[in-house]
Coordinates of all heavy atoms in Angstrom, one line a residue:
Y320 N -9.7 29.3 65.0 CA -8.4 28.7 65.0 C -8.4 27.3 64.4 O -9.4 26.7 64.4 CB -7.7 28.8 66.4 CG -8.5 28.0 67.5 CD1 -8.2 26.7 67.7 CD2 -9.5 28.6 68.2 CE1 -8.9 26.0 68.7 CE2 -10.2 27.9 69.1 CZ -9.9 26.6 69.3 OH -10.6 25.9 70.3
N321 N -7.2 26.8 64.1 CA -7.1 25.4 63.6 C -6.7 24.5 64.7 O -5.6 24.6 65.3 CB -6.1 25.4 62.5 CG -6.1 24.1 61.7 OD1 -6.7 23.1 62.2 ND2 -5.4 24.1 60.6
I322 N -7.5 23.5 65.0 CA -7.3 22.6 66.1 C -6.0 21.8 65.8 O -5.4 21.3 66.7 CB -8.5 21.7 66.4 CG1 -8.4 21.0 67.8 CG2 -8.7 20.6 65.4 CD1 -8.4 22.0 68.9
H323 N -5.7 21.6 64.6 CA -4.4 20.8 64.2 C -3.2 21.4 64.8 O -2.2 20.7 65.2 CB -4.3 20.6 62.7 CG -5.3 19.7 62.1 ND1 -6.5 20.1 61.5 CD2 -5.3 18.4 62.1 CE1 -7.2 19.1 61.1 NE2 -6.5 18.0 61.5
K324 N -3.2 22.8 64.9 CA -2.0 23.5 65.6 C -1.9 23.2 67.0 O -0.8 23.0 67.5 CB -2.2 24.9 65.3 CG -2.0 25.3 63.9 CD -2.0 26.9 63.7 CE -1.9 27.3 62.2 NZ -2.1 28.7 62.1
I325 N -3.1 23.1 67.7 CA -3.1 22.7 69.1 C -2.6 21.3 69.3 O -1.8 21.0 70.2 CB -4.5 23.0 69.7 CG1 -5.0 24.4 69.5 CG2 -4.5 22.7 71.2 CD1 -4.2 25.5 70.0
I326 N -3.1 20.4 68.5 CA -2.8 19.0 68.6 C -1.3 18.8 68.4 O -0.6 18.1 69.1 CB -3.6 18.1 67.6 CG1 -5.0 18.1 68.0 CG2 -3.0 16.7 67.5 CD1 -6.0 17.5 67.0
K327 N -0.7 19.5 67.4 CA 0.7 19.5 67.1 C 1.6 20.0 68.4 O 2.6 19.4 68.6 CB 1.0 20.4 65.9 CG 2.4 20.3 65.5 CD 2.6 21.0 64.2 CE 4.1 20.8 63.7 NZ 4.3 21.4 62.4
L328 N 1.0 20.9 69.1 CA 1.8 21.4 70.3 C 1.7 20.4 71.5 O 2.7 20.4 72.2 CB 1.1 22.8 70.8 CG 1.3 24.0 69.9 CD1 0.5 25.2 70.4 CD2 2.7 24.3 69.8
I329 N 0.7 19.6 71.6 CA 0.6 18.8 72.8 C 1.1 17.3 72.5 O 1.3 16.6 73.5 CB -0.8 18.7 73.3 CG1 -1.8 18.0 72.4 CG2 -1.3 20.0 73.8 CD1 -3.1 17.7 72.9
T330 N 1.4 17.0 71.3 CA 1.8 15.6 71.0 C 3.3 15.5 70.9 O 4.0 16.5 70.6 CB 1.2 15.1 69.7 OG1 1.5 15.9 68.6 CG2 -0.3 15.0 69.8
D331 N 3.8 14.3 71.1 CA 5.3 14.1 71.0 C 5.7 14.4 69.5 O 5.1 13.7 68.6 CB 5.6 12.7 71.4 CG 5.4 12.4 72.9 OD1 5.1 13.4 73.6 OD2 5.6 11.3 73.3
D332 N 6.7 15.2 69.4 CA 7.2 15.5 68.0 C 6.2 16.1 67.1 O 6.4 16.2 65.9 CB 7.9 14.3 67.4 CG 9.0 13.8 68.2 OD1 9.8 14.6 68.9 OD2 9.3 12.5 68.2
G333 N 5.0 16.5 67.5 CA 3.9 17.0 66.7 C 3.4 16.0 65.8 O 2.7 16.3 64.8
D334 N 3.6 14.7 66.0 CA 3.1 13.6 65.2 C 1.6 13.3 65.5 O 1.3 13.2 66.7 CB 3.9 12.4 65.2 CG 5.3 12.6 64.7 OD1 5.4 13.4 63.8 OD2 6.2 11.8 65.1
F335 N 0.8 13.2 64.5 CA -0.6 12.9 64.7 C -1.1 12.2 63.4 O -0.9 12.6 62.3 CB -1.4 14.2 64.8 CG -2.9 14.0 65.0 CD1 -3.4 13.3 66.0 CD2 -3.8 14.5 64.1 CE1 -4.8 13.1 66.2 CE2 -5.2 14.4 64.2 CZ -5.7 13.7 65.3
F336 N -1.8 11.0 63.6 CA -2.2 10.2 62.5 C -3.8 10.3 62.6 O -4.5 9.7 63.4 CB -1.9 8.7 62.7 CG -2.4 7.8 61.6 CD1 -1.9 7.9 60.3 CD2 -3.5 7.0 61.8 CE1 -2.4 7.1 59.3 CE2 -3.9 6.2 60.8 CZ -3.4 6.3 59.5
E337 N -4.3 11.2 61.7 CA -5.8 11.4 61.7 C -6.5 10.3 61.0 O -6.1 9.9 59.9 CB -6.0 12.8 61.0 CG -7.4 13.3 61.1 CD -7.6 14.7 60.6 OE1 -6.6 15.3 60.3 OE2 -8.8 15.1 60.6
I338 N -7.7 10.0 61.5 CA -8.6 9.0 60.9 C -9.7 9.7 60.2 O -10.3 10.6 60.7 CB -9.2 8.1 62.0 CG1 -8.1 7.5 62.8 CG2 -10.1 7.0 61.4 CD1 -7.1 6.5 62.1
K339 N -9.9 9.4 58.9 CA -11.0 9.9 58.1 C -10.9 11.5 58.1 O -11.9 12.1 58.4 CB -12.4 9.5 58.6 CG -12.6 8.0 58.4 CD -14.0 7.6 58.8 CE -14.3 6.1 58.6 NZ -15.7 5.8 59.0
P340 N -9.9 12.1 57.6 CA -9.7 13.5 57.6 C -10.8 14.3 56.7 O -11.0 15.4 57.0 CB -8.3 13.7 57.2 CG -7.9 12.5 56.5 CD -8.7 11.4 57.0
R341 N -11.3 13.6 55.7 CA -12.2 14.3 54.8 C -13.7 14.1 55.1 O -14.5 14.7 54.5 CB -11.9 13.8 53.4 CG -10.6 14.3 52.9 CD -10.4 13.9 51.4 NE -9.1 14.3 51.0 CZ -8.5 13.8 50.0 NH1 -9.1 12.9 49.2 NH2 -7.3 14.3 49.6
F342 N -14.0 13.2 56.1 CA -15.3 12.9 56.5 C -15.6 13.7 57.8 O -14.9 13.7 58.7 CB -15.6 11.4 56.7 CG -16.9 11.1 57.2 CD1 -18.0 11.2 56.4 CD2 -17.1 10.6 58.5 CE1 -19.3 10.9 56.9 CE2 -18.3 10.3 59.0 CZ -19.5 10.4 58.2
A343 N -16.8 14.4 57.9 CA -17.1 15.1 59.1 C -16.0 16.0 59.6 O -15.5 15.8 60.7 CB -17.7 14.2 60.1
R344 N -15.5 16.9 58.8 CA -14.4 17.7 59.1 C -14.5 18.6 60.3 O -13.6 19.1 60.8 CB -14.0 18.5 57.9 CG -13.5 17.7 56.8 CD -13.1 18.4 55.6 NE -12.9 19.8 55.8 CZ -12.9 20.8 54.9 NH1 -13.1 20.5 53.7 NH2 -12.8 22.0 55.2
N345 N -15.7 18.7 60.9 CA -15.9 19.5 62.1 C -15.5 18.8 63.4 O -15.5 19.4 64.5 CB -17.4 20.0 62.2 CG -18.4 18.9 62.0 OD1 -18.1 17.9 61.2 ND2 -19.5 18.9 62.7
I346 N -15.1 17.5 63.2 CA -14.5 16.8 64.4 C -13.2 16.1 63.9 O -13.2 15.6 62.7 CB -15.4 15.8 65.0 CG1 -14.9 15.4 66.4 CG2 -15.8 14.6 64.2 CD1 -16.0 15.0 67.4
V347 N -12.2 16.1 64.7 CA -10.9 15.5 64.3 C -10.6 14.4 65.3 O -10.7 14.6 66.5 CB -9.8 16.7 64.5 CG1 -8.4 16.0 64.2 CG2 -10.0 17.8 63.5
V348 N -10.4 13.2 64.8 CA -10.0 12.1 65.6 C -8.8 11.4 65.0 O -8.5 11.4 63.8 CB -11.1 11.0 65.6 CG1 -12.4 11.6 66.2 CG2 -11.5 10.5 64.3
G349 N -7.9 10.9 65.9 CA -6.8 10.2 65.5 C -5.9 9.7 66.5 O -6.2 9.9 67.8
F350 N -4.7 9.2 66.2 CA -3.8 8.6 67.2 C -2.5 9.5 67.3 O -2.1 10.0 66.3 CB -3.4 7.2 66.8 CG -4.5 6.3 66.7 CD1 -5.1 5.9 65.5 CD2 -5.1 5.8 68.0 CE1 -6.2 5.0 65.5 CE2 -6.1 4.8 67.9 CZ -6.7 4.4 66.7
A351 N -2.0 9.6 68.5 CA -0.7 10.2 68.7 C -0.1 9.6 69.9 O -0.6 8.7 70.6 CB -1.0 11.8 68.9
R352 N 1.1 10.2 70.3 CA 1.8 9.8 71.5 C 1.9 11.1 72.4 O 2.3 12.2 71.9 CB 3.1 9.3 71.2 CG 3.1 7.9 70.6 CD 4.5 7.3 70.6 NE 4.4 6.0 69.9 CZ 4.2 4.8 70.6 NH1 4.1 4.9 71.9 NH2 4.2 3.7 70.0
V353 N 1.6 10.9 73.6 CA 1.8 12.0 74.6 C 2.6 11.4 75.8 O 2.2 10.4 76.4 CB 0.4 12.5 75.1 CG1 0.6 13.5 76.2 CG2 -0.4 13.1 74.0
G354 N 3.8 11.9 76.0 CA 4.6 11.4 77.0 C 5.1 10.0 76.7 O 5.4 9.2 77.6
G355 N 5.2 9.7 75.4 CA 5.7 8.4 74.9 C 4.6 7.3 74.9 O 4.8 6.2 74.5
K356 N 3.4 7.6 75.5 CA 2.3 6.6 75.5 C 1.4 6.9 74.3 O 1.0 8.1 74.0 CB 1.6 6.7 76.8 CG 2.4 6.6 78.0 CD 2.7 5.2 78.3 CE 3.5 5.1 79.6 NZ 3.8 3.8 80.0
P357 N 0.8 5.9 73.7 CA -0.2 6.1 72.6 C -1.5 6.6 73.3 O -1.9 6.1 74.3 CB -0.3 4.7 72.0 CG 0.1 3.8 73.0 CD 1.1 4.5 73.8
V358 N -2.2 7.6 72.5 CA -3.5 8.1 73.0 C -4.3 8.3 71.7 O -3.8 8.4 70.6 CB -3.4 9.4 73.7 CG1 -2.6 9.2 75.1 CG2 -2.8 10.5 72.9
G359 N -5.6 8.3 71.9 CA -6.6 8.7 70.9 C -7.0 10.1 71.2 O -7.2 10.4 72.4
I360 N -7.1 10.9 70.2 CA -7.5 12.3 70.4 C -8.8 12.5 69.7 O -9.0 12.2 68.5 CB -6.4 13.2 69.8 CG1 -5.1 13.1 70.7 CG2 -6.9 14.7 69.8 CD1 -4.0 13.9 70.2
V361 N -9.7 13.2 70.4 CA -11.0 13.6 69.8 C -11.1 15.1 70.1 O -11.1 15.5 71.2 CB -12.2 12.8 70.5 CG1 -13.5 13.3 70.0 CG2 -12.0 11.3 70.4
A362 N -11.3 15.8 69.0 CA -11.4 17.3 69.1 C -12.3 17.9 68.1 O -12.4 17.4 67.0 CB -10.0 17.9 69.0
N363 N -13.1 18.9 68.5 CA -13.9 19.6 67.6 C -13.1 20.6 66.8 O -12.1 21.1 67.4 CB -15.2 20.2 68.2 CG -14.9 21.3 69.2 OD1 -13.9 21.3 69.8 ND2 -15.8 22.2 69.3
Q364 N -13.4 20.9 65.6 CA -12.6 21.8 64.7 C -13.4 23.1 64.6 O -14.4 23.1 63.7 CB -12.4 21.1 63.4 CG -11.8 22.0 62.3 CD -10.4 22.5 62.7 OE1 -10.3 23.5 63.5 NE2 -9.4 21.9 62.1
P365 N -13.1 24.2 65.2 CA -13.9 25.4 65.2 C -13.8 26.1 63.8 O -14.7 26.9 63.5 CB -13.1 26.3 66.2 CG -12.4 25.4 67.1 CD -12.0 24.2 66.2
M366 N -12.9 25.7 62.9 CA -12.9 26.3 61.6 C -14.0 25.8 60.7 O -14.3 26.4 59.7 CB -11.5 26.0 60.9 CG -10.4 26.7 61.6 SD -8.8 26.5 60.7 CE -9.1 27.2 59.2
I367 N -14.6 24.6 61.0 CA -15.7 24.1 60.2 C -17.0 24.2 61.0 O -17.0 23.6 62.1 CB -15.4 22.6 59.8 CG1 -14.0 22.4 59.2 CG2 -16.4 22.0 58.9 CD1 -13.7 23.1 57.9
I368 N -17.9 24.8 60.4 CA -19.2 25.1 61.1 C -19.2 25.4 62.6 O -20.0 25.0 63.4 CB -20.3 24.0 60.8 CG1 -19.9 22.7 61.3 CG2 -20.6 23.9 59.3 CD1 -21.1 21.6 61.2
G369 N -18.1 26.1 63.0 CA -17.9 26.5 64.3 C -17.7 25.4 65.3 O -17.8 25.5 66.5
G370 N -17.3 24.2 64.8 CA -17.0 23.1 65.6 C -18.3 22.4 66.2 O -18.2 21.5 67.0
A371 N -19.5 22.8 65.7 CA -20.7 22.1 66.1 C -20.7 20.7 65.7 O -20.2 20.3 64.6 CB -21.9 22.9 65.5
I372 N -21.3 19.8 66.6 CA -21.3 18.4 66.3 C -22.6 18.1 65.6 O -23.7 18.2 66.2 CB -21.2 17.6 67.6 CG1 -19.9 18.0 68.4 CG2 -21.2 16.1 67.4 CD1 -18.6 17.8 67.7
D373 N -22.5 17.5 64.4 CA -23.7 17.1 63.7 C -23.8 15.6 63.7 O -23.0 15.0 64.4 CB -23.8 17.7 62.3 CG -22.5 17.2 61.5 OD1 -21.7 16.5 61.9 OD2 -22.5 17.7 60.3
V374 N -24.7 15.0 63.0 CA -24.9 13.5 63.0 C -23.6 12.8 62.5 O -23.2 11.8 63.2 CB -26.1 13.2 62.2 CG1 -26.2 11.6 62.1 CG2 -27.4 13.8 62.7
D375 N -23.0 13.3 61.4 CA -21.8 12.6 60.9 C -20.7 12.7 61.9 O -19.9 11.7 62.1 CB -21.4 13.2 59.6 CG -22.4 12.8 58.4 OD1 -23.1 11.7 58.6 OD2 -22.4 13.5 57.4
A376 N -20.5 13.8 62.5 CA -19.4 14.1 63.5 C -19.6 13.2 64.7 O -18.7 12.6 65.2 CB -19.3 15.5 63.9
A377 N -20.8 13.1 65.1 CA -21.1 12.2 66.4 C -20.8 10.8 66.0 O -20.3 10.0 66.8 CB -22.5 12.4 66.8
D378 N -21.2 10.4 64.8 CA -21.0 9.0 64.4 C -19.5 8.7 64.2 O -19.0 7.6 64.7 CB -21.7 8.7 63.0 CG -21.8 7.3 62.7 OD1 -22.0 6.5 63.6 OD2 -21.6 6.9 61.5
K379 N -18.7 9.6 63.6 CA -17.3 9.5 63.5 C -16.6 9.4 64.9 O -15.7 8.5 65.1 CB -16.8 10.7 62.7 CG -15.3 10.7 62.5 CD -14.9 12.0 61.8 CE -13.4 12.1 61.6 NZ -13.0 13.3 60.8
A380 N -17.0 10.2 65.8 CA -16.4 10.2 67.1 C -16.8 8.9 67.9 O -15.9 8.3 68.5 CB -16.9 11.4 67.9
A381 N -18.0 8.5 67.8 CA -18.5 7.3 68.5 C -17.7 6.1 68.0 O -17.3 5.2 68.8 CB -19.9 7.1 68.3
H382 N -17.5 5.9 66.7 CA -16.8 4.8 66.2 C -15.3 4.8 66.7 O -14.7 3.8 67.0 CB -16.9 4.7 64.6 CG -18.1 4.2 64.2 ND1 -19.2 5.0 63.8 CD2 -18.6 3.0 64.0 CE1 -20.2 4.3 63.4 NE2 -19.9 3.0 63.5
F383 N -14.7 6.0 66.6 CA -13.3 6.1 67.0 C -13.2 5.8 68.5 O -12.3 5.1 69.0 CB -12.8 7.5 66.7 CG -11.3 7.6 67.1 CD1 -10.4 7.0 66.4 CD2 -11.0 8.4 68.3 CE1 -9.0 7.1 66.7 CE2 -9.7 8.5 68.6 CZ -8.7 7.9 67.8
I384 N -14.1 6.3 69.4 CA -14.1 6.0 70.8 C -14.2 4.5 71.1 O -13.5 3.9 71.9 CB -15.2 6.8 71.5 CG1 -14.8 8.3 71.5 CG2 -15.3 6.4 73.0 CD1 -15.9 9.3 71.9
N385 N -15.1 3.8 70.4 CA -15.3 2.4 70.5 C -14.0 1.7 70.1 O -13.7 0.6 70.7 CB -16.5 1.9 69.7 CG -17.8 2.3 70.3 OD1 -17.9 2.4 71.5 ND2 -18.8 2.4 69.4
L386 N -13.3 2.1 69.1 CA -12.1 1.5 68.6 C -11.0 1.6 69.7 O -10.4 0.6 70.0 CB -11.6 2.2 67.3 CG -10.2 1.7 66.8 CD1 -10.3 0.2 66.3 CD2 -9.7 2.6 65.7
C387 N -10.9 2.8 70.3 CA -9.9 3.0 71.3 C -10.2 2.1 72.6 O -9.4 1.6 73.2 CB -9.8 4.4 71.7 SG -9.0 5.5 70.4
D388 N -11.6 2.1 72.9 CA -12.0 1.2 74.0 C -11.6 -0.2 73.8 O -11.3 -0.9 74.8 CB -13.5 1.4 74.2 CG -14.0 0.7 75.4 OD1 -13.3 0.8 76.5 OD2 -15.0 0.0 75.3
A389 N -11.8 -0.7 72.6 CA -11.5 -2.1 72.3 C -10.1 -2.5 72.5 O -9.8 -3.6 72.9 CB -11.9 -2.5 70.9
F390 N -9.2 -1.5 72.4 CA -7.7 -1.8 72.5 C -7.1 -1.1 73.8 O -5.9 -1.0 73.9 CB -7.0 -1.3 71.3 CG -7.3 -2.2 70.1 CD1 -8.3 -1.8 69.2 CD2 -6.7 -3.4 69.9 CE1 -8.6 -2.6 68.1 CE2 -7.0 -4.2 68.8 CZ -7.9 -3.8 67.9
N391 N -8.0 -0.6 74.7 CA -7.6 0.0 75.9 C -6.6 1.2 75.7 O -5.6 1.3 76.4 CB -7.0 -1.0 76.9 CG -8.0 -2.0 77.4 OD1 -9.1 -1.6 77.7 ND2 -7.5 -3.2 77.5
I392 N -7.0 2.0 74.7 CA -6.2 3.2 74.4 C -6.8 4.4 75.1 O -8.0 4.6 74.8 CB -6.1 3.4 72.9 CG1 -5.4 2.3 72.2 CG2 -5.4 4.7 72.6 CD1 -5.4 2.3 70.7
P393 N -6.1 5.1 75.9 CA -6.7 6.3 76.6 C -7.0 7.4 75.6 O -6.4 7.5 74.5 CB -5.6 6.7 77.6 CG -4.3 6.1 77.1 CD -4.7 4.9 76.3
L394 N -8.0 8.2 76.0 CA -8.5 9.2 75.2 C -8.1 10.6 75.7 O -8.2 10.8 76.9 CB -10.0 9.1 75.0 CG -10.5 7.9 74.1 CD1 -12.0 7.7 74.3 CD2 -10.1 8.1 72.7
V395 N -7.9 11.5 74.8 CA -7.7 12.9 75.1 C -8.8 13.7 74.4 O -8.9 13.6 73.1 CB -6.3 13.4 74.7 CG1 -6.2 14.9 75.0 CG2 -5.2 12.7 75.5
F396 N -9.6 14.4 75.1 CA -10.7 15.2 74.4 C -10.3 16.7 74.5 O -9.9 17.2 75.5 CB -12.0 15.0 75.2 CG -12.6 13.7 75.1 CD1 -12.3 12.7 76.0 CD2 -13.4 13.3 74.0 CE1 -12.8 11.4 75.9 CE2 -13.9 12.1 73.8 CZ -13.6 11.1 74.8
L397 N -10.4 17.3 73.3 CA -10.2 18.8 73.2 C -11.5 19.4 72.7 O -11.9 19.2 71.6 CB -9.1 19.1 72.3 CG -7.7 18.5 72.6 CD1 -6.7 18.6 71.4 CD2 -7.1 19.0 73.8
G398 N -12.0 20.2 73.6 CA -13.3 20.9 73.2 C -13.3 22.4 73.3 O -12.6 22.9 74.2
D399 N -14.0 23.0 72.4 CA -14.0 24.5 72.4 C -15.4 24.9 72.8 O -16.4 24.5 72.3 CB -13.7 25.0 71.0 CG -13.7 26.5 70.9 OD1 -13.5 27.1 71.9 OD2 -14.0 27.0 69.9

C-alpha cells in the first residue's frame, strides 16, 4: 500500500508537506497539521523495498527528527 494515502487520511484537509521526496523513498518525512496543531510525520513506505530502513533512510529520518526537536514540533510515527 501507499503510505501517502494513510497520511492523507489522518491529516487536516489531507495536506502534507513532504521533505526530500526523491531521496531515500523508502521513508517519508514531512510536516502536516493534526487537530489544528503542526506535527512532523515519519513513516516507512512499504511500496519501496518493503519499507526496510537502509542507511540513507535512517539518515533522512534522523535529520528530520533533529529538525523537529530543535523547534519543539511533536512527531507522529507510522510504522508497518
Side-chain angles (χ1 to χ4, degrees):
Y320 61 91
N321 188 348
I322 197 66
H323 288 98
K324 291 181 181 179
I325 305 299
I326 292 170
K327 187 174 185 173
L328 290 174
I329 66 169
T330 59
D331 294 353
D332 300 325
D334 291 334
F335 178 62
F336 180 72
E337 188 172 356
I338 306 296
K339 295 185 180 180
R341 293 185 181 161
F342 176 71
R344 294 181 14 201
N345 48 328
I346 195 151
V347 175
V348 299
F350 297 103
R352 288 189 180 272
V353 175
K356 306 279 184 180
V358 297
I360 295 179
V361 179
N363 64 329
Q364 174 59 284
M366 291 183 67
I367 310 296
I368 65 170
I372 305 301
D373 60 3
V374 174
D375 287 338
D378 193 42
K379 178 180 174 179
H382 282 97
F383 182 73
I384 291 167
N385 285 334
L386 175 68
C387 290
D388 183 48
F390 292 97
N391 293 320
I392 298 172
L394 292 167
V395 174
F396 292 92
L397 301 173
D399 178 30

